[in-house]
Amino acid sequence: MNLWWTEEQTPGLRLSLRCTALRERRRSPYQDIAVYETAQYGRLLALDDMVMTTEADEFVYHEMLTHPAMSACAEPRRVLIVGGGDGGCVREVCKYPAVQQVVLAELDGEVIDVCRRHLPSIAGALGDPRVQIEVGDGVAYLAAAPAGSFDVILVDAPDPIGPAEGLFGERFYGQAARALAPGGVLAAQTESPFLHGDLIARVQVALRRQFPVVGLYWAVIPTYPGAMWTFSIAAQGTVDLARVRRQPEAATRYWTPEVHGAAFALPPFVRALLEPAGL
Ligand code: SPD
């Protein structure tokens, strides 16, 4: 196989990767799931022909979604990951020995199955005894969770279209605020400032209505649309989000205390996206 796989990231912008093999392609009740071998970025997981993760740059996304929230939380013992069936955030959360329970609420059990078989460097921690896998709607899972039942919630959502749209709305953040214990922290992926400035502003406004402390930070993920990627973070309590309070006990490849602090420095064009919303 020597074909080019292409994602239409937005009208007028495409990403093409040369593929040397198709490892698996199947249709689940929710979406088309495929794993390709790419010439440049290792294995690629695509859902409905959109990049979810690649072996070459997944560490940036998963470390940067996970460690700022784990660092800011008062006592991260119980963690909920909404989405994230590839297991990348689970792997990062499991780097903290104090964590007792990691619930993975993933809509599509077939994504978990495919990643276990084809992406072991990402999915390898799904077998950790602290991990509890709940296949089903993450929004419903959170709504049914008792108040104060989690210390950290990570929203590892796909793009905000179709079934994932609910993961970017104020009602969902309200449920998250309720399900977090005092001192708890939520972090969510919020897309690129080059392509989704309106979404970033909307999420920041919604979070500020539900949480006393809210922040925005960024990292570079080459295979995601726009490459510069944002994460929104919110805490139930008073905390300086840019200051590192705790570190993972296993190595990281992107996150460091220095990178953590720097990630909260927003370029003026990103700040400007928030101004129309009065932020
Ligand atoms: N356009 C890509 C956005 C994907 C965000 N979530 C990826 C899930 C990886 N665990």
Side-chain angles (χ1 to χ4, degrees), residues 4-264:
W4 287 82
W5 176 87
T6 297
E7 172 184 350
E8 175 139 352
Q9 296 185 321
T10 200
L13 179 66
R14 290 180 177 167
L15 171 76
S16 284
L17 296 168
R18 191 165 68 78
C19 295
T20 53
L22 170 63
R23 294 292 166 208
E24 178 159 355
R25 184 162 194 184
R26 64 153 98 158
R27 178 93 217 156
S28 80
Y30 301 101
Q31 55 208 338
D32 181 85
I33 306 169
V35 176
Y36 297 91
E37 200 75 55
T38 72
Q40 197 65 40
Y41 284 142
R43 290 191 181 177
L44 153 74
L45 169 70
L47 299 181
D48 286 339
D49 290 322
M50 289 178 279
V51 174
M52 283 304 115
T53 205
T54 79
E55 285 179 322
D57 64 359
E58 61 82 14
F59 65 97
V60 182
Y61 176 84
H62 292 122
E63 290 180 16
M64 290 303 281
L65 179 52
T66 304
H67 298 302
M70 295 298 284
S71 164
C73 176
E75 262 187 292
R77 290 205 204 114
R78 301 156 303 164
V79 179
L80 169 66
I81 300 165
V82 181
D86 54 45
C89 287
V90 169
R91 180 193 65 204
E92 295 307 313
V93 167
C94 287
K95 292 179 177 175
Y96 296 83
V99 168
Q100 295 165 353
Q101 181 195 30
V102 189
V103 177
L104 177 72
E106 162 64 50
L107 180 66
D108 193 342
E110 294 191 37
V111 170
I112 298 172
D113 174 53
V114 166
C115 294
R116 275 190 149 132
R117 286 184 291 106
H118 297 292
L119 295 165
S121 64
I122 303 174
L126 288 171
D128 188 292
R130 295 170 290 176
V131 177
Q132 173 190 334
I133 297 177
E134 300 285 341
V135 174
D137 179 15
V139 176
Y141 182 89
L142 192 61
S149 50
F150 291 103
D151 303 304
V152 170
I153 297 176
L154 303 175
V155 190
D156 186 0
D159 296 307
I161 38 176
E165 226 175 316
L167 300 176
F168 293 83
E170 188 170 344
R171 181 178 300 189
F172 176 74
Y173 300 134
Q175 293 291 2
R178 185 192 57 79
L180 281 169
V185 179
L186 168 138
Q189 76 89 353
T190 42
E191 308 276 316
S192 175
F194 284 105
L195 299 171
H196 290 103
D198 51 341
L199 174 108
I200 296 167
R202 210 167 54 239
V203 167
Q204 289 280 309
V205 168
L207 286 172
R208 278 161 211 234
R209 291 204 191 110
Q210 301 294 337
F211 290 87
V213 176
V214 176
L216 182 70
Y217 62 95
W218 62 279
V220 172
I221 303 162
T223 57
Y224 283 1
M228 182 184 187
W229 207 252
T230 66
F231 303 86
S232 290
I233 184 166
Q236 286 287 36
T238 314
V239 59
D240 176 0
L241 295 166
R243 192 176 71 82
V244 173
R245 296 168 99 184
R246 106 177 23 77
Q247 302 198 30
E249 291 207 1
T252 52
R253 296 172 65 204
Y254 187 93
W255 184 92
T256 66
E258 295 75 23
V259 168
H260 178 120
F264 283 86

